[in-house]
Amino acid sequence: MKAREIILVFLCLNVISLSVIAGSPPTCPADLGKECSGSDSGEWHGEFFPDIPKIKYEGPSSKNPLSFKWYNAEEEILGRKMKDWMRFSVAFWHTFRGTGADPFGAPTKLWPWEDGTNSLAMAKRRMRANFEFIQKLGVDYWCFHDRDIAPDGKTLEEANANLDEVVTLAKELQGNKIRPLWGTAQLFMHPRYMHGAATSSEVGVYAYAAAQVKKAMEVTHYLGGENYVFWGGREGYQTLLNTDMKRELDHLARFLEAAVAWKKKIGFTGTLLIEPKPQEPTKHQYDWDAATTASFLQKYGLSDEFKLNIECNHATLSGHSCHHELETARIYGLLGNIDANTGDPQIGWDTDQFLTDVGEATMVMLSVVRNGGLAPGGFNFDAKLRRESTDVEDLFISHISGMDTLARGLRNVAKLIEDGSLAELVRKRYESFDSEIGALIEAGKADFETLEKKAKEWGEPNVASAKQELAEMIFQSAI
C-alpha cells in the first residue's frame, strides 16, 4: 500500500470512529473500498461527494460554479414556483453509467466508486451515489432503465431478482420526497433485440420484451413513478426489402395495447410516454418525429393512452427545431415530458449535450408555459458529460448549467409576457380573422361558395408585412 493510501485509510478510520461516537455516517472518499464502509458487509455508507456542498441559489452575480445563478426553486414565476414549472430529473444512465465513449472513442472516465464490475454490490453502490447526488443538487426526481440500475441475469427470473434487490434499496433511499419521474425497460442493448423488440420478427423476442416491460412497469409503480416511457429508435426498419412494414406496426400496436391493459390492471396511474427517436439507428421509423408518432397513435386508437417525450437533440436530427417538436406535440394534446438536451449542428448523431443556449431554452419554455406546465411530466436531463470532462464535480457543474439555462429561459418568457409586444405583434398579424367571415372560417361554417363570393367582392387582397425582424428584435431584447 502506498504512503498516500495509508494516510487516507488512517484518516478515514478515524472519521468512522468519530462518526460512530457521534451517531452519524462516515464521510470520506468513496474509492477507499470496504475499509471505509463502516459495516461488516463491506457495503459503502459514506459520502460519495464529500467535497461538494448542497447546491444553493446565489444569483446572477455569483462566480461560484457550484451554485445556481438563475434557478431559484422556491421563487414564483408566472404564478408558480420554479421547481413546479421545471420538475427536474436526473438520468441514472448518463450520470452514473456514462463512460465517455463515443462511436470513435474508448471510455475516458471511471468514477472513484466504481470497481469495474456490474455486480449487485456495485449496483447498490451506484444507487447510493445517485441519491446523494440528487439530494445535493436539490431535485425531486430521477429516471432509470431497468438494466442500468441492476445487472442482467442468465435467465429472466435472475434478472428480475436482481432488479428487485436494487429497487428495494432505491425505495429506502428515495424516502418520501424523491421519486422517479419515469422508468423504462432497456430493449436495445442486448443482442436479442438486434431486430427490435415489439417489432422483432421473432415471437420469442416479442414475448421476452413484453415480460421485461411488465416487470419494469411494476417496479416503476412500486417506486411511485409518475410516468413510464417506451423508447423507440430500434423499433423500426432499416430496409424495406425484407420487412413486412404493416405487420411490424400492427405488432407494435398490439404490444402497446397490452401495456395499457397491464398499467390499468396493476393500478399504475402514471402517463405512458413514447419518445420519437430518429436515426437511432434506423432510417424508416414510425417514430421519426412528433408528427409521425402522433399519426401512429391516431391510426391505432392509442392517442388517449399515450403522450410524447420530446428530446431536443432528436428534434434536430429529424430536421426540426426543438420548439417545433414541442409545439407539434402540444397542439396535438400530446406533450408529456421533455428530454432537456441538445446536439452539435455539425455532428450527425445524438451527442446528448446539456442545453446551454439561452435562446433555445427560451423557446422551449414558451411551449411549456403555453402548455400550462408539464406535470406529471417534467425535464429529464438525458445529457452526458463531454469525453474530456472527467472530474466528479463536472457531474454537478453540467446539471447546474442545464438547470440555470432553462430557468433563465423561463425568466425570459415572463419578461416577454409582461412586455406584451410579441403577443400584440402576433395578434395584429391575424386580426383579419377577427372579422365576421374569419369567425365563420374558424367555426368551420364558411364553404367555398361563400368564400368565392367574398373574394370577388374584395378583389385582390392587401397582404401586410409579417414584421419578422421586429419579432426577432423583441425576442432578443428579452434574452
Side-chain angles (χ1 to χ4, degrees), residues 54 56 68 72 110 136 145 148 197 200 222 233 249 284 302 319 326 343 363 402 410 436 459:
K54 184 173 175 59
K56 298 179 180 179
F68 294 118
N72 187 8
L110 184 70
K136 287 192 171 182
H145 297 82
D148 287 332
S200 176
Y222 170 73
L249 290 173
H284 303 294
L302 293 166
L326 293 173
M363 295 295 287
L410 177 61
E436 182 180 352

PDB file of all heavy atoms in Angstrom, residues 54 56 68 72 110 136 145 148 197 200 222 233 249 284 302 319 326 343 363 402 410 436 459:
ATOM      1  N   LYS A  54     -24.300  21.119  -0.624  1.00  0.00           N
ATOM      2  CA  LYS A  54     -25.617  21.210  -1.231  1.00  0.00           C
ATOM      3  C   LYS A  54     -25.662  22.473  -2.091  1.00  0.00           C
ATOM      4  O   LYS A  54     -25.280  23.550  -1.649  1.00  0.00           O
ATOM      5  CB  LYS A  54     -26.720  21.252  -0.170  1.00  0.00           C
ATOM      6  CG  LYS A  54     -28.129  21.256  -0.764  1.00  0.00           C
ATOM      7  CD  LYS A  54     -29.178  21.137   0.317  1.00  0.00           C
ATOM      8  CE  LYS A  54     -30.576  21.264  -0.262  1.00  0.00           C
ATOM      9  NZ  LYS A  54     -30.887  20.258  -1.287  1.00  0.00           N
ATOM     10  N   LYS A  56     -26.780  25.704  -3.810  1.00  0.00           N
ATOM     11  CA  LYS A  56     -27.708  26.762  -3.416  1.00  0.00           C
ATOM     12  C   LYS A  56     -27.806  27.837  -4.496  1.00  0.00           C
ATOM     13  O   LYS A  56     -26.926  27.977  -5.349  1.00  0.00           O
ATOM     14  CB  LYS A  56     -27.256  27.401  -2.095  1.00  0.00           C
ATOM     15  CG  LYS A  56     -27.237  26.437  -0.915  1.00  0.00           C
ATOM     16  CD  LYS A  56     -26.763  27.135   0.352  1.00  0.00           C
ATOM     17  CE  LYS A  56     -26.745  26.177   1.533  1.00  0.00           C
ATOM     18  NZ  LYS A  56     -26.258  26.844   2.779  1.00  0.00           N
ATOM     19  N   PHE A  68     -26.373  27.957  -8.114  1.00  0.00           N
ATOM     20  CA  PHE A  68     -27.332  28.367  -9.140  1.00  0.00           C
ATOM     21  C   PHE A  68     -27.306  29.882  -9.274  1.00  0.00           C
ATOM     22  O   PHE A  68     -27.309  30.602  -8.284  1.00  0.00           O
ATOM     23  CB  PHE A  68     -28.748  27.918  -8.771  1.00  0.00           C
ATOM     24  CG  PHE A  68     -28.933  26.426  -8.752  1.00  0.00           C
ATOM     25  CD1 PHE A  68     -29.291  25.761  -7.580  1.00  0.00           C
ATOM     26  CD2 PHE A  68     -28.753  25.678  -9.905  1.00  0.00           C
ATOM     27  CE1 PHE A  68     -29.474  24.383  -7.562  1.00  0.00           C
ATOM     28  CE2 PHE A  68     -28.931  24.297  -9.901  1.00  0.00           C
ATOM     29  CZ  PHE A  68     -29.291  23.652  -8.734  1.00  0.00           C
ATOM     30  N   ASN A  72     -33.947  29.375  -8.941  1.00  0.00           N
ATOM     31  CA  ASN A  72     -34.267  29.567  -7.525  1.00  0.00           C
ATOM     32  C   ASN A  72     -35.557  28.784  -7.270  1.00  0.00           C
ATOM     33  O   ASN A  72     -36.652  29.265  -7.577  1.00  0.00           O
ATOM     34  CB  ASN A  72     -34.442  31.052  -7.210  1.00  0.00           C
ATOM     35  CG  ASN A  72     -34.612  31.315  -5.741  1.00  0.00           C
ATOM     36  OD1 ASN A  72     -34.463  30.407  -4.910  1.00  0.00           O
ATOM     37  ND2 ASN A  72     -34.933  32.549  -5.385  1.00  0.00           N
ATOM     38  N   LEU A 110     -13.830   6.626 -15.265  1.00  0.00           N
ATOM     39  CA  LEU A 110     -14.291   5.593 -14.338  1.00  0.00           C
ATOM     40  C   LEU A 110     -14.364   6.263 -12.975  1.00  0.00           C
ATOM     41  O   LEU A 110     -13.349   6.610 -12.384  1.00  0.00           O
ATOM     42  CB  LEU A 110     -13.311   4.400 -14.297  1.00  0.00           C
ATOM     43  CG  LEU A 110     -13.740   3.218 -13.431  1.00  0.00           C
ATOM     44  CD1 LEU A 110     -14.925   2.488 -14.065  1.00  0.00           C
ATOM     45  CD2 LEU A 110     -12.584   2.245 -13.227  1.00  0.00           C
ATOM     46  N   LYS A 136     -28.006  16.554  -3.058  1.00  0.00           N
ATOM     47  CA  LYS A 136     -27.120  17.725  -3.049  1.00  0.00           C
ATOM     48  C   LYS A 136     -27.461  18.685  -4.186  1.00  0.00           C
ATOM     49  O   LYS A 136     -27.290  19.896  -4.044  1.00  0.00           O
ATOM     50  CB  LYS A 136     -25.657  17.279  -3.130  1.00  0.00           C
ATOM     51  CG  LYS A 136     -25.160  16.654  -1.833  1.00  0.00           C
ATOM     52  CD  LYS A 136     -23.661  16.473  -1.805  1.00  0.00           C
ATOM     53  CE  LYS A 136     -23.205  16.065  -0.400  1.00  0.00           C
ATOM     54  NZ  LYS A 136     -21.733  15.911  -0.311  1.00  0.00           N
ATOM     55  N   HIS A 145     -33.373   3.190 -16.599  1.00  0.00           N
ATOM     56  CA  HIS A 145     -33.641   1.965 -17.348  1.00  0.00           C
ATOM     57  C   HIS A 145     -33.445   0.802 -16.381  1.00  0.00           C
ATOM     58  O   HIS A 145     -32.564   0.849 -15.514  1.00  0.00           O
ATOM     59  CB  HIS A 145     -32.635   1.753 -18.479  1.00  0.00           C
ATOM     60  CG  HIS A 145     -32.625   2.788 -19.548  1.00  0.00           C
ATOM     61  ND1 HIS A 145     -31.948   3.970 -19.423  1.00  0.00           N
ATOM     62  CD2 HIS A 145     -33.175   2.784 -20.785  1.00  0.00           C
ATOM     63  CE1 HIS A 145     -32.073   4.668 -20.546  1.00  0.00           C
ATOM     64  NE2 HIS A 145     -32.825   3.976 -21.383  1.00  0.00           N
ATOM     65  N   ASP A 148     -29.880  -0.603 -16.401  1.00  0.00           N
ATOM     66  CA  ASP A 148     -28.830   0.314 -15.954  1.00  0.00           C
ATOM     67  C   ASP A 148     -28.693   0.306 -14.443  1.00  0.00           C
ATOM     68  O   ASP A 148     -27.598   0.492 -13.917  1.00  0.00           O
ATOM     69  CB  ASP A 148     -29.132   1.743 -16.421  1.00  0.00           C
ATOM     70  CG  ASP A 148     -28.910   1.922 -17.906  1.00  0.00           C
ATOM     71  OD1 ASP A 148     -28.064   1.201 -18.459  1.00  0.00           O
ATOM     72  OD2 ASP A 148     -29.578   2.761 -18.514  1.00  0.00           O
ATOM     73  N   ALA A 197     -37.674  -4.968 -30.644  1.00  0.00           N
ATOM     74  CA  ALA A 197     -38.298  -5.674 -29.518  1.00  0.00           C
ATOM     75  C   ALA A 197     -39.740  -6.014 -29.875  1.00  0.00           C
ATOM     76  O   ALA A 197     -40.047  -7.126 -30.277  1.00  0.00           O
ATOM     77  CB  ALA A 197     -38.214  -4.824 -28.255  1.00  0.00           C
ATOM     78  N   SER A 200     -39.788  -7.046 -33.453  1.00  0.00           N
ATOM     79  CA  SER A 200     -38.911  -8.151 -33.848  1.00  0.00           C
ATOM     80  C   SER A 200     -39.668  -9.177 -34.692  1.00  0.00           C
ATOM     81  O   SER A 200     -40.866  -9.415 -34.495  1.00  0.00           O
ATOM     82  CB  SER A 200     -38.339  -8.847 -32.613  1.00  0.00           C
ATOM     83  OG  SER A 200     -37.560  -9.972 -32.977  1.00  0.00           O
ATOM     84  N   TYR A 222     -44.092   0.610  -8.134  1.00  0.00           N
ATOM     85  CA  TYR A 222     -43.685   0.374  -6.747  1.00  0.00           C
ATOM     86  C   TYR A 222     -42.908   1.563  -6.182  1.00  0.00           C
ATOM     87  O   TYR A 222     -43.068   1.929  -5.010  1.00  0.00           O
ATOM     88  CB  TYR A 222     -42.827  -0.893  -6.691  1.00  0.00           C
ATOM     89  CG  TYR A 222     -42.127  -1.146  -5.376  1.00  0.00           C
ATOM     90  CD1 TYR A 222     -42.834  -1.574  -4.253  1.00  0.00           C
ATOM     91  CD2 TYR A 222     -40.742  -0.959  -5.260  1.00  0.00           C
ATOM     92  CE1 TYR A 222     -42.172  -1.803  -3.046  1.00  0.00           C
ATOM     93  CE2 TYR A 222     -40.089  -1.195  -4.065  1.00  0.00           C
ATOM     94  CZ  TYR A 222     -40.804  -1.609  -2.959  1.00  0.00           C
ATOM     95  OH  TYR A 222     -40.156  -1.837  -1.777  1.00  0.00           O
ATOM     96  N   GLY A 233     -36.750   4.222 -31.764  1.00  0.00           N
ATOM     97  CA  GLY A 233     -35.456   4.120 -32.405  1.00  0.00           C
ATOM     98  C   GLY A 233     -35.251   2.778 -33.053  1.00  0.00           C
ATOM     99  O   GLY A 233     -35.405   2.624 -34.254  1.00  0.00           O
ATOM    100  N   LEU A 249     -45.825  -2.726 -37.626  1.00  0.00           N
ATOM    101  CA  LEU A 249     -46.628  -1.687 -36.988  1.00  0.00           C
ATOM    102  C   LEU A 249     -47.804  -2.287 -36.222  1.00  0.00           C
ATOM    103  O   LEU A 249     -48.121  -1.850 -35.107  1.00  0.00           O
ATOM    104  CB  LEU A 249     -47.131  -0.699 -38.033  1.00  0.00           C
ATOM    105  CG  LEU A 249     -46.069   0.216 -38.669  1.00  0.00           C
ATOM    106  CD1 LEU A 249     -46.677   1.031 -39.798  1.00  0.00           C
ATOM    107  CD2 LEU A 249     -45.447   1.135 -37.632  1.00  0.00           C
ATOM    108  N   HIS A 284     -36.143   4.275 -41.415  1.00  0.00           N
ATOM    109  CA  HIS A 284     -37.581   4.225 -41.694  1.00  0.00           C
ATOM    110  C   HIS A 284     -38.273   3.891 -40.375  1.00  0.00           C
ATOM    111  O   HIS A 284     -38.180   2.768 -39.894  1.00  0.00           O
ATOM    112  CB  HIS A 284     -37.895   3.157 -42.738  1.00  0.00           C
ATOM    113  CG  HIS A 284     -37.160   3.336 -44.026  1.00  0.00           C
ATOM    114  ND1 HIS A 284     -37.374   4.409 -44.856  1.00  0.00           N
ATOM    115  CD2 HIS A 284     -36.201   2.591 -44.618  1.00  0.00           C
ATOM    116  CE1 HIS A 284     -36.595   4.313 -45.920  1.00  0.00           C
ATOM    117  NE2 HIS A 284     -35.860   3.213 -45.794  1.00  0.00           N
ATOM    118  N   LEU A 302     -54.618   4.922 -30.075  1.00  0.00           N
ATOM    119  CA  LEU A 302     -53.868   4.981 -28.820  1.00  0.00           C
ATOM    120  C   LEU A 302     -53.630   6.411 -28.323  1.00  0.00           C
ATOM    121  O   LEU A 302     -52.955   6.616 -27.317  1.00  0.00           O
ATOM    122  CB  LEU A 302     -52.514   4.280 -28.993  1.00  0.00           C
ATOM    123  CG  LEU A 302     -52.566   2.766 -29.227  1.00  0.00           C
ATOM    124  CD1 LEU A 302     -51.214   2.256 -29.720  1.00  0.00           C
ATOM    125  CD2 LEU A 302     -52.971   2.046 -27.942  1.00  0.00           C
ATOM    126  N   GLY A 319     -34.653  17.006 -38.400  1.00  0.00           N
ATOM    127  CA  GLY A 319     -34.760  18.154 -39.288  1.00  0.00           C
ATOM    128  C   GLY A 319     -35.632  19.269 -38.773  1.00  0.00           C
ATOM    129  O   GLY A 319     -36.029  20.161 -39.540  1.00  0.00           O
ATOM    130  N   LEU A 326     -42.006  20.521 -29.878  1.00  0.00           N
ATOM    131  CA  LEU A 326     -42.817  20.763 -28.682  1.00  0.00           C
ATOM    132  C   LEU A 326     -44.178  21.344 -29.055  1.00  0.00           C
ATOM    133  O   LEU A 326     -45.213  20.940 -28.499  1.00  0.00           O
ATOM    134  CB  LEU A 326     -42.085  21.712 -27.733  1.00  0.00           C
ATOM    135  CG  LEU A 326     -40.806  21.177 -27.090  1.00  0.00           C
ATOM    136  CD1 LEU A 326     -40.110  22.273 -26.310  1.00  0.00           C
ATOM    137  CD2 LEU A 326     -41.096  19.983 -26.197  1.00  0.00           C
ATOM    138  N   GLY A 343     -27.879  18.983 -29.397  1.00  0.00           N
ATOM    139  CA  GLY A 343     -26.852  18.325 -30.196  1.00  0.00           C
ATOM    140  C   GLY A 343     -25.937  19.347 -30.832  1.00  0.00           C
ATOM    141  O   GLY A 343     -26.166  20.550 -30.777  1.00  0.00           O
ATOM    142  N   MET A 363     -37.291  29.493 -26.102  1.00  0.00           N
ATOM    143  CA  MET A 363     -38.301  28.929 -26.992  1.00  0.00           C
ATOM    144  C   MET A 363     -38.929  27.676 -26.384  1.00  0.00           C
ATOM    145  O   MET A 363     -40.141  27.461 -26.475  1.00  0.00           O
ATOM    146  CB  MET A 363     -37.687  28.601 -28.348  1.00  0.00           C
ATOM    147  CG  MET A 363     -37.190  29.801 -29.126  1.00  0.00           C
ATOM    148  SD  MET A 363     -38.518  30.929 -29.610  1.00  0.00           S
ATOM    149  CE  MET A 363     -39.309  29.987 -30.910  1.00  0.00           C
ATOM    150  N   GLY A 402     -27.313  23.288 -16.992  1.00  0.00           N
ATOM    151  CA  GLY A 402     -28.561  22.968 -17.683  1.00  0.00           C
ATOM    152  C   GLY A 402     -29.777  23.523 -16.967  1.00  0.00           C
ATOM    153  O   GLY A 402     -30.703  24.056 -17.607  1.00  0.00           O
ATOM    154  N   LEU A 410     -37.179  30.509 -18.644  1.00  0.00           N
ATOM    155  CA  LEU A 410     -38.465  30.803 -18.016  1.00  0.00           C
ATOM    156  C   LEU A 410     -38.561  32.275 -17.637  1.00  0.00           C
ATOM    157  O   LEU A 410     -39.606  32.918 -17.834  1.00  0.00           O
ATOM    158  CB  LEU A 410     -38.654  29.917 -16.776  1.00  0.00           C
ATOM    159  CG  LEU A 410     -39.921  30.167 -15.966  1.00  0.00           C
ATOM    160  CD1 LEU A 410     -41.167  29.911 -16.797  1.00  0.00           C
ATOM    161  CD2 LEU A 410     -39.932  29.303 -14.707  1.00  0.00           C
ATOM    162  N   GLU A 436     -66.184  39.033 -39.174  1.00  0.00           N
ATOM    163  CA  GLU A 436     -67.325  38.107 -39.217  1.00  0.00           C
ATOM    164  C   GLU A 436     -67.032  36.880 -40.077  1.00  0.00           C
ATOM    165  O   GLU A 436     -67.298  35.749 -39.666  1.00  0.00           O
ATOM    166  CB  GLU A 436     -68.553  38.827 -39.766  1.00  0.00           C
ATOM    167  CG  GLU A 436     -69.811  37.953 -39.808  1.00  0.00           C
ATOM    168  CD  GLU A 436     -71.019  38.687 -40.360  1.00  0.00           C
ATOM    169  OE1 GLU A 436     -70.920  39.916 -40.567  1.00  0.00           O
ATOM    170  OE2 GLU A 436     -72.063  38.038 -40.584  1.00  0.00           O
ATOM    171  N   GLY A 459     -61.827  41.732 -54.124  1.00  0.00           N
ATOM    172  CA  GLY A 459     -60.781  41.908 -55.123  1.00  0.00           C
ATOM    173  C   GLY A 459     -59.432  41.408 -54.611  1.00  0.00           C
ATOM    174  O   GLY A 459     -59.349  40.590 -53.685  1.00  0.00           O
TER     175      GLY A 459
END
